[in-house]
Amino acid sequence: MKYPRLVNGLSYKKNYDGTVIVKDNRIDESYLFEEESVRILQHLDGKTDPYNGIETYYTPSEIGLLIEFLIEEELIEYSRITASNGNILIRLFNIKVSMKKRIISFVLNVILMNSFLPIFIYGLCMFLPRYNELEFRFPLFFVGAIIGVLLGAPCHEFGHLVAALGLGGKAFSMGILLGITPGMYVEINEKCIKSTLRKVQVLLAGIEVNLLLAGLFFIISTLFSSSLFYGIAFNNLLLAVVNLLFIDGLDGYQAMQILLGANELNEKAKRLRNETAKNELLSEGILGYIKFILFRIIRYNQLAYPVLILINIGGGLFWIIN
């Protein structure tokens, strides 16, 4: 992309004095611009030179200052590839929201909520009694595990997207995430959803999709006695379990944060080492004891993530060596 492109997710509201409020719906942040600045903004499509391709009374230096501000506030981009929190994000496409998409998403979300648990339980109950009859072949299992990630990761994010659109949230883009654990991402904002339980559903919808897929492939692997389908089922179950961990940035942590109405759960968990903070929490009664147990789980969960990563790496090396 040669020239700057305006990010997806901005809305505009004109004031009586001629100024315009530009809202970044991704983070619910608002900015006040002159009308001429907004006119320049709306021409930034990645193909137009902001200095020579737009008719404006702004001088090149004024345009430069505007571009610098937009870069600082991350309102424009020069590439589909961006860096965020130590990860590399590759945007594949922007999401255009319509009423038709919201209705379809609502229906799909209802089906997901009512089907993932019965299918997962049925698949597990069908698979476990016949596990010993399965002719286990590690190469096939390993290939299935890779397919499981390639299938489970985008479906996980699609679950978040469907829940967000179906329950009144906002969605902006979807793409590939490269980091310690590569995967997919979907850029959504569920803060505009008023119901706490609906917000939690948006956060947990990806896990529900992985459990649904795990259940389906447990059934298929039992019917066909195939290590390939077992690998797909296993890794989707693993994706669900990992995302349920109370580790900052994962779905389980964010859902618990909303349910407890507590920000920075990690910091609260660390403060429980202090005897005074511990006694204050326990003095709240049953709710205090529940929070105490959850905060302890959060602290212990910090060890689980790197262990799971090492297990995955070890499994890959074992397959290569053997």
mmCIF file of all heavy atoms in Angstrom, residues 60-94:
data_model
loop_
_atom_site.group_PDB
_atom_site.id
_atom_site.type_symbol
_atom_site.label_atom_id
_atom_site.label_comp_id
_atom_site.label_asym_id
_atom_site.label_seq_id
_atom_site.Cartn_x
_atom_site.Cartn_y
_atom_site.Cartn_z
ATOM 1 N N PRO A 60 0.680 21.797 2.367
ATOM 2 C CA PRO A 60 1.344 20.499 2.577
ATOM 3 C C PRO A 60 1.772 20.276 4.029
ATOM 4 O O PRO A 60 1.692 19.148 4.528
ATOM 5 C CB PRO A 60 2.550 20.564 1.636
ATOM 6 C CG PRO A 60 2.114 21.475 0.544
ATOM 7 C CD PRO A 60 1.256 22.508 1.205
ATOM 8 N N SER A 61 2.232 21.344 4.700
ATOM 9 C CA SER A 61 2.656 21.191 6.101
ATOM 10 C C SER A 61 1.461 20.874 7.000
ATOM 11 O O SER A 61 1.569 20.075 7.945
ATOM 12 C CB SER A 61 3.364 22.456 6.591
ATOM 13 O OG SER A 61 2.498 23.583 6.529
ATOM 14 N N GLU A 62 0.295 21.478 6.714
ATOM 15 C CA GLU A 62 -0.917 21.195 7.499
ATOM 16 C C GLU A 62 -1.401 19.765 7.255
ATOM 17 O O GLU A 62 -1.839 19.077 8.187
ATOM 18 C CB GLU A 62 -2.014 22.204 7.144
ATOM 19 C CG GLU A 62 -1.757 23.609 7.673
ATOM 20 C CD GLU A 62 -2.788 24.613 7.185
ATOM 21 O OE1 GLU A 62 -3.241 24.496 6.022
ATOM 22 O OE2 GLU A 62 -3.151 25.520 7.963
ATOM 23 N N ILE A 63 -1.306 19.326 6.012
ATOM 24 C CA ILE A 63 -1.660 17.933 5.696
ATOM 25 C C ILE A 63 -0.709 16.982 6.416
ATOM 26 O O ILE A 63 -1.128 15.955 6.963
ATOM 27 C CB ILE A 63 -1.621 17.689 4.171
ATOM 28 C CG1 ILE A 63 -2.710 18.514 3.482
ATOM 29 C CG2 ILE A 63 -1.813 16.199 3.861
ATOM 30 C CD1 ILE A 63 -2.672 18.446 1.963
ATOM 31 N N GLY A 64 0.584 17.342 6.437
ATOM 32 C CA GLY A 64 1.580 16.518 7.123
ATOM 33 C C GLY A 64 1.275 16.376 8.606
ATOM 34 O O GLY A 64 1.389 15.277 9.171
ATOM 35 N N LEU A 65 0.881 17.478 9.241
ATOM 36 C CA LEU A 65 0.534 17.438 10.669
ATOM 37 C C LEU A 65 -0.694 16.554 10.899
ATOM 38 O O LEU A 65 -0.763 15.813 11.890
ATOM 39 C CB LEU A 65 0.261 18.859 11.183
ATOM 40 C CG LEU A 65 1.480 19.766 11.332
ATOM 41 C CD1 LEU A 65 1.056 21.195 11.671
ATOM 42 C CD2 LEU A 65 2.421 19.236 12.419
ATOM 43 N N LEU A 66 -1.673 16.660 9.978
ATOM 44 C CA LEU A 66 -2.876 15.829 10.080
ATOM 45 C C LEU A 66 -2.509 14.350 9.952
ATOM 46 O O LEU A 66 -2.975 13.513 10.752
ATOM 47 C CB LEU A 66 -3.877 16.222 8.989
ATOM 48 C CG LEU A 66 -5.152 15.365 8.890
ATOM 49 C CD1 LEU A 66 -5.968 15.457 10.174
ATOM 50 C CD2 LEU A 66 -5.997 15.791 7.687
ATOM 51 N N ILE A 67 -1.669 14.019 8.978
ATOM 52 C CA ILE A 67 -1.247 12.620 8.766
ATOM 53 C C ILE A 67 -0.500 12.098 9.993
ATOM 54 O O ILE A 67 -0.718 10.958 10.429
ATOM 55 C CB ILE A 67 -0.364 12.495 7.507
ATOM 56 C CG1 ILE A 67 -1.160 12.857 6.237
ATOM 57 C CG2 ILE A 67 0.210 11.081 7.392
ATOM 58 C CD1 ILE A 67 -2.318 11.947 5.943
ATOM 59 N N GLU A 68 0.386 12.931 10.564
ATOM 60 C CA GLU A 68 1.135 12.531 11.764
ATOM 61 C C GLU A 68 0.190 12.207 12.918
ATOM 62 O O GLU A 68 0.393 11.231 13.646
ATOM 63 C CB GLU A 68 2.100 13.645 12.175
ATOM 64 C CG GLU A 68 3.334 13.747 11.309
ATOM 65 C CD GLU A 68 4.254 14.873 11.756
ATOM 66 O OE1 GLU A 68 4.109 15.339 12.913
ATOM 67 O OE2 GLU A 68 5.111 15.297 10.963
ATOM 68 N N PHE A 69 -0.844 13.031 13.083
ATOM 69 C CA PHE A 69 -1.812 12.795 14.161
ATOM 70 C C PHE A 69 -2.579 11.498 13.925
ATOM 71 O O PHE A 69 -2.791 10.701 14.852
ATOM 72 C CB PHE A 69 -2.803 13.967 14.244
ATOM 73 C CG PHE A 69 -3.885 13.764 15.265
ATOM 74 C CD1 PHE A 69 -3.652 13.969 16.610
ATOM 75 C CD2 PHE A 69 -5.158 13.344 14.869
ATOM 76 C CE1 PHE A 69 -4.651 13.768 17.553
ATOM 77 C CE2 PHE A 69 -6.158 13.137 15.793
ATOM 78 C CZ PHE A 69 -5.896 13.357 17.147
ATOM 79 N N LEU A 70 -2.963 11.256 12.681
ATOM 80 C CA LEU A 70 -3.714 10.044 12.344
ATOM 81 C C LEU A 70 -2.870 8.792 12.575
ATOM 82 O O LEU A 70 -3.378 7.762 13.034
ATOM 83 C CB LEU A 70 -4.187 10.099 10.888
ATOM 84 C CG LEU A 70 -5.197 11.205 10.548
ATOM 85 C CD1 LEU A 70 -5.470 11.227 9.053
ATOM 86 C CD2 LEU A 70 -6.492 11.024 11.326
ATOM 87 N N ILE A 71 -1.573 8.888 12.267
ATOM 88 C CA ILE A 71 -0.668 7.764 12.508
ATOM 89 C C ILE A 71 -0.537 7.512 14.007
ATOM 90 O O ILE A 71 -0.596 6.367 14.468
ATOM 91 C CB ILE A 71 0.725 8.034 11.891
ATOM 92 C CG1 ILE A 71 0.639 8.041 10.362
ATOM 93 C CG2 ILE A 71 1.745 6.988 12.359
ATOM 94 C CD1 ILE A 71 1.917 8.487 9.679
ATOM 95 N N GLU A 72 -0.362 8.587 14.773
ATOM 96 C CA GLU A 72 -0.197 8.468 16.228
ATOM 97 C C GLU A 72 -1.410 7.829 16.883
ATOM 98 O O GLU A 72 -1.292 7.020 17.806
ATOM 99 C CB GLU A 72 0.050 9.864 16.823
ATOM 100 C CG GLU A 72 0.331 9.857 18.307
ATOM 101 C CD GLU A 72 0.559 11.255 18.856
ATOM 102 O OE1 GLU A 72 0.865 12.175 18.070
ATOM 103 O OE2 GLU A 72 0.418 11.435 20.084
ATOM 104 N N GLU A 73 -2.605 8.173 16.395
ATOM 105 C CA GLU A 73 -3.842 7.635 16.969
ATOM 106 C C GLU A 73 -4.282 6.335 16.293
ATOM 107 O O GLU A 73 -5.358 5.810 16.586
ATOM 108 C CB GLU A 73 -4.971 8.674 16.850
ATOM 109 C CG GLU A 73 -4.714 9.962 17.611
ATOM 110 C CD GLU A 73 -4.554 9.742 19.109
ATOM 111 O OE1 GLU A 73 -5.254 8.848 19.644
ATOM 112 O OE2 GLU A 73 -3.728 10.442 19.726
ATOM 113 N N GLU A 74 -3.454 5.827 15.356
ATOM 114 C CA GLU A 74 -3.716 4.567 14.653
ATOM 115 C C GLU A 74 -5.056 4.595 13.908
ATOM 116 O O GLU A 74 -5.811 3.627 13.907
ATOM 117 C CB GLU A 74 -3.674 3.382 15.619
ATOM 118 C CG GLU A 74 -2.314 3.207 16.274
ATOM 119 C CD GLU A 74 -2.253 2.011 17.212
ATOM 120 O OE1 GLU A 74 -3.289 1.351 17.414
ATOM 121 O OE2 GLU A 74 -1.170 1.735 17.749
ATOM 122 N N LEU A 75 -5.330 5.733 13.264
ATOM 123 C CA LEU A 75 -6.555 5.882 12.482
ATOM 124 C C LEU A 75 -6.319 5.637 10.993
ATOM 125 O O LEU A 75 -7.278 5.556 10.223
ATOM 126 C CB LEU A 75 -7.143 7.292 12.687
ATOM 127 C CG LEU A 75 -7.593 7.614 14.117
ATOM 128 C CD1 LEU A 75 -8.075 9.056 14.206
ATOM 129 C CD2 LEU A 75 -8.682 6.664 14.580
ATOM 130 N N ILE A 76 -5.052 5.545 10.608
ATOM 131 C CA ILE A 76 -4.712 5.197 9.230
ATOM 132 C C ILE A 76 -3.647 4.094 9.255
ATOM 133 O O ILE A 76 -2.984 3.880 10.266
ATOM 134 C CB ILE A 76 -4.196 6.404 8.413
ATOM 135 C CG1 ILE A 76 -2.973 7.033 9.099
ATOM 136 C CG2 ILE A 76 -5.295 7.412 8.173
ATOM 137 C CD1 ILE A 76 -2.314 8.126 8.276
ATOM 138 N N GLU A 77 -3.505 3.413 8.118
ATOM 139 C CA GLU A 77 -2.510 2.350 8.001
ATOM 140 C C GLU A 77 -1.886 2.403 6.625
ATOM 141 O O GLU A 77 -2.516 2.820 5.654
ATOM 142 C CB GLU A 77 -3.153 0.984 8.260
ATOM 143 C CG GLU A 77 -4.307 0.670 7.333
ATOM 144 C CD GLU A 77 -5.060 -0.611 7.705
ATOM 145 O OE1 GLU A 77 -4.841 -1.129 8.802
ATOM 146 O OE2 GLU A 77 -5.871 -1.056 6.874
ATOM 147 N N TYR A 78 -0.634 1.975 6.550
ATOM 148 C CA TYR A 78 0.075 1.933 5.278
ATOM 149 C C TYR A 78 0.211 0.515 4.765
ATOM 150 O O TYR A 78 0.709 0.291 3.667
ATOM 151 C CB TYR A 78 1.466 2.553 5.432
ATOM 152 C CG TYR A 78 1.469 4.068 5.404
ATOM 153 C CD1 TYR A 78 1.281 4.797 6.565
ATOM 154 C CD2 TYR A 78 1.646 4.762 4.214
ATOM 155 C CE1 TYR A 78 1.283 6.177 6.552
ATOM 156 C CE2 TYR A 78 1.647 6.152 4.176
ATOM 157 C CZ TYR A 78 1.468 6.854 5.358
ATOM 158 O OH TYR A 78 1.458 8.225 5.328
ATOM 159 N N SER A 79 -0.194 -0.456 5.588
ATOM 160 C CA SER A 79 -0.041 -1.853 5.205
ATOM 161 C C SER A 79 -1.105 -2.699 5.881
ATOM 162 O O SER A 79 -1.678 -2.300 6.905
ATOM 163 C CB SER A 79 1.355 -2.346 5.612
ATOM 164 O OG SER A 79 1.480 -3.739 5.448
ATOM 165 N N ARG A 80 -1.365 -3.859 5.294
ATOM 166 C CA ARG A 80 -2.267 -4.815 5.921
ATOM 167 C C ARG A 80 -1.613 -5.477 7.134
ATOM 168 O O ARG A 80 -2.274 -6.102 7.943
ATOM 169 C CB ARG A 80 -2.663 -5.915 4.926
ATOM 170 C CG ARG A 80 -3.610 -5.448 3.829
ATOM 171 C CD ARG A 80 -3.902 -6.570 2.859
ATOM 172 N NE ARG A 80 -4.897 -6.179 1.882
ATOM 173 C CZ ARG A 80 -6.209 -6.372 2.019
ATOM 174 N NH1 ARG A 80 -6.658 -6.977 3.099
ATOM 175 N NH2 ARG A 80 -7.059 -5.993 1.098
ATOM 176 N N ILE A 81 -0.292 -5.327 7.232
ATOM 177 C CA ILE A 81 0.467 -5.954 8.317
ATOM 178 C C ILE A 81 0.782 -4.916 9.383
ATOM 179 O O ILE A 81 1.384 -3.875 9.103
ATOM 180 C CB ILE A 81 1.775 -6.570 7.785
ATOM 181 C CG1 ILE A 81 1.473 -7.568 6.664
ATOM 182 C CG2 ILE A 81 2.561 -7.232 8.903
ATOM 183 C CD1 ILE A 81 2.717 -8.084 5.952
ATOM 184 N N THR A 82 0.359 -5.176 10.613
ATOM 185 C CA THR A 82 0.616 -4.269 11.729
ATOM 186 C C THR A 82 1.127 -5.057 12.934
ATOM 187 O O THR A 82 0.962 -6.279 13.011
ATOM 188 C CB THR A 82 -0.665 -3.511 12.142
ATOM 189 O OG1 THR A 82 -1.700 -4.465 12.442
ATOM 190 C CG2 THR A 82 -1.142 -2.603 11.021
ATOM 191 N N ALA A 83 1.746 -4.353 13.873
ATOM 192 C CA ALA A 83 2.254 -4.971 15.106
ATOM 193 C C ALA A 83 1.389 -4.517 16.269
ATOM 194 O O ALA A 83 1.006 -3.349 16.365
ATOM 195 C CB ALA A 83 3.712 -4.587 15.335
ATOM 196 N N SER A 84 1.061 -5.461 17.167
ATOM 197 C CA SER A 84 0.234 -5.144 18.329
ATOM 198 C C SER A 84 0.558 -6.097 19.473
ATOM 199 O O SER A 84 0.447 -7.307 19.321
ATOM 200 C CB SER A 84 -1.261 -5.242 17.970
ATOM 201 O OG SER A 84 -2.065 -5.016 19.106
ATOM 202 N N ASN A 85 0.979 -5.527 20.618
ATOM 203 C CA ASN A 85 1.269 -6.304 21.836
ATOM 204 C C ASN A 85 2.226 -7.474 21.588
ATOM 205 O O ASN A 85 2.026 -8.578 22.080
ATOM 206 C CB ASN A 85 -0.038 -6.837 22.442
ATOM 207 C CG ASN A 85 -0.976 -5.733 22.865
ATOM 208 O OD1 ASN A 85 -0.531 -4.698 23.369
ATOM 209 N ND2 ASN A 85 -2.265 -5.924 22.634
ATOM 210 N N GLY A 86 3.255 -7.225 20.783
ATOM 211 C CA GLY A 86 4.252 -8.256 20.527
ATOM 212 C C GLY A 86 3.854 -9.257 19.459
ATOM 213 O O GLY A 86 4.604 -10.193 19.165
ATOM 214 N N ASN A 87 2.671 -9.081 18.861
ATOM 215 C CA ASN A 87 2.198 -9.968 17.797
ATOM 216 C C ASN A 87 2.170 -9.236 16.461
ATOM 217 O O ASN A 87 2.127 -8.001 16.418
ATOM 218 C CB ASN A 87 0.789 -10.483 18.110
ATOM 219 C CG ASN A 87 0.749 -11.325 19.369
ATOM 220 O OD1 ASN A 87 1.573 -12.210 19.567
ATOM 221 N ND2 ASN A 87 -0.211 -11.043 20.237
ATOM 222 N N ILE A 88 2.197 -9.979 15.388
ATOM 223 C CA ILE A 88 2.051 -9.405 14.049
ATOM 224 C C ILE A 88 0.670 -9.771 13.526
ATOM 225 O O ILE A 88 0.292 -10.942 13.507
ATOM 226 C CB ILE A 88 3.138 -9.941 13.095
ATOM 227 C CG1 ILE A 88 4.521 -9.497 13.575
ATOM 228 C CG2 ILE A 88 2.893 -9.447 11.673
ATOM 229 C CD1 ILE A 88 5.666 -10.083 12.781
ATOM 230 N N LEU A 89 -0.098 -8.757 13.119
ATOM 231 C CA LEU A 89 -1.452 -8.964 12.602
ATOM 232 C C LEU A 89 -1.457 -8.736 11.095
ATOM 233 O O LEU A 89 -0.978 -7.706 10.619
ATOM 234 C CB LEU A 89 -2.438 -8.004 13.277
ATOM 235 C CG LEU A 89 -2.456 -7.988 14.806
ATOM 236 C CD1 LEU A 89 -3.487 -6.970 15.297
ATOM 237 C CD2 LEU A 89 -2.766 -9.362 15.364
ATOM 238 N N ILE A 90 -1.977 -9.706 10.367
ATOM 239 C CA ILE A 90 -2.114 -9.579 8.911
ATOM 240 C C ILE A 90 -3.602 -9.539 8.586
ATOM 241 O O ILE A 90 -4.292 -10.560 8.656
ATOM 242 C CB ILE A 90 -1.441 -10.759 8.179
ATOM 243 C CG1 ILE A 90 0.027 -10.881 8.609
ATOM 244 C CG2 ILE A 90 -1.549 -10.576 6.669
ATOM 245 C CD1 ILE A 90 0.721 -12.121 8.078
ATOM 246 N N ARG A 91 -4.107 -8.367 8.246
ATOM 247 C CA ARG A 91 -5.540 -8.218 7.966
ATOM 248 C C ARG A 91 -5.872 -8.838 6.616
ATOM 249 O O ARG A 91 -5.266 -8.504 5.600
ATOM 250 C CB ARG A 91 -5.926 -6.736 7.980
ATOM 251 C CG ARG A 91 -7.376 -6.464 7.630
ATOM 252 C CD ARG A 91 -7.718 -5.000 7.795
ATOM 253 N NE ARG A 91 -6.786 -4.137 7.108
ATOM 254 C CZ ARG A 91 -6.806 -3.871 5.797
ATOM 255 N NH1 ARG A 91 -7.746 -4.415 5.031
ATOM 256 N NH2 ARG A 91 -5.912 -3.061 5.261
ATOM 257 N N LEU A 92 -6.838 -9.751 6.615
ATOM 258 C CA LEU A 92 -7.267 -10.396 5.375
ATOM 259 C C LEU A 92 -8.400 -9.631 4.705
ATOM 260 O O LEU A 92 -8.423 -9.472 3.488
ATOM 261 C CB LEU A 92 -7.694 -11.841 5.648
ATOM 262 C CG LEU A 92 -6.597 -12.780 6.169
ATOM 263 C CD1 LEU A 92 -7.168 -14.165 6.419
ATOM 264 C CD2 LEU A 92 -5.432 -12.859 5.175
ATOM 265 N N PHE A 93 -9.355 -9.171 5.521
ATOM 266 C CA PHE A 93 -10.474 -8.408 4.960
ATOM 267 C C PHE A 93 -11.180 -7.612 6.045
ATOM 268 O O PHE A 93 -11.115 -7.942 7.232
ATOM 269 C CB PHE A 93 -11.486 -9.333 4.254
ATOM 270 C CG PHE A 93 -12.038 -10.423 5.141
ATOM 271 C CD1 PHE A 93 -13.139 -10.200 5.949
ATOM 272 C CD2 PHE A 93 -11.456 -11.682 5.151
ATOM 273 C CE1 PHE A 93 -13.656 -11.200 6.751
ATOM 274 C CE2 PHE A 93 -11.956 -12.694 5.949
ATOM 275 C CZ PHE A 93 -13.058 -12.455 6.755
ATOM 276 N N ASN A 94 -11.835 -6.529 5.619
ATOM 277 C CA ASN A 94 -12.684 -5.740 6.510
ATOM 278 C C ASN A 94 -14.084 -6.330 6.528
ATOM 279 O O ASN A 94 -14.519 -6.971 5.566
ATOM 280 C CB ASN A 94 -12.739 -4.282 6.061
ATOM 281 C CG ASN A 94 -11.429 -3.546 6.324
ATOM 282 O OD1 ASN A 94 -10.753 -3.804 7.319
ATOM 283 N ND2 ASN A 94 -11.073 -2.637 5.434
#
